[in-house]
Amino acid sequence: AEKDLYKFVDKMDNNKIDAIGYLDTGNKLVSLYSGRPVILLRNKSPVFNNLKYSLIPYNTIDNKGYIKCYKPDKVYIEGIGEYTKVIIGLIDNDISMDGVDCILNSKLLEDI
């Protein structure tokens, strides 16, 4: 649905990642270590090669494993707000919605 699409900006050091994010009410993934919500972002930028990562375990109905994650300096989601206490999880698969590069976490709406 169009209303669930948001412009997403990840600012880190001197780099900026722009994406279109889909607010998925099913994405409630949080870091077991910090309790921060995890935003899933398609791994498509060379900027990601130079980051320090941690692995966060996940479970879905048909899969489980680890997601490579990093802490952004700040993310901005148009119409929702700015966040510093989130984790970005990088996914290698394409997202099945045209033009969407990022799955936003439903817990972000709880802060509004």
Side-chain angles (χ1 to χ4, degrees):
E2 287 282 319
K3 66 180 178 54
D4 295 326
L5 297 180
Y6 296 88
K7 286 185 182 174
F8 168 87
V9 179
D10 177 2
K11 297 177 185 170
M12 44 189 170
D13 301 327
N14 297 321
N15 298 300
K16 186 173 107 165
I17 303 291
D18 290 295
I20 297 296
Y22 173 71
L23 185 60
D24 184 356
T25 56
N27 178 11
K28 299 179 185 322
L29 181 63
V30 294
S31 165
L32 293 175
Y33 312 111
S34 67
R36 294 178 179 195
V38 178
I39 295 171
L40 302 173
L41 181 62
R42 198 161 65 101
N43 186 1
K44 66 174 188 169
S45 171
V47 169
F48 298 135
N49 296 338
N50 302 321
L51 298 176
K52 183 180 169 192
Y53 294 105
S54 58
L55 294 176
I56 293 180
Y58 70 91
N59 281 317
T60 64
I61 292 171
D62 57 358
N63 200 357
K64 67 181 185 177
Y66 293 90
I67 297 176
K68 192 161 63 169
C69 297
Y70 68 93
K71 283 191 272 189
D73 296 331
K74 186 187 318 185
V75 299
Y76 174 74
I77 302 165
E78 189 175 274
I80 297 180
E82 196 171 82
Y83 298 89
T84 55
K85 295 186 178 191
V86 296
I87 302 284
I88 304 292
L90 296 178
I91 54 175
D92 293 322
N93 308 8
D94 279 346
I95 296 169
S96 60
M97 297 176 68
D98 284 342
V100 173
D101 295 307
C102 165
I103 303 293
L104 302 173
N105 194 301
S106 64
K107 292 193 172 289
L108 299 174
L109 286 182
E110 294 172 10
D111 294 342
I112 295 178

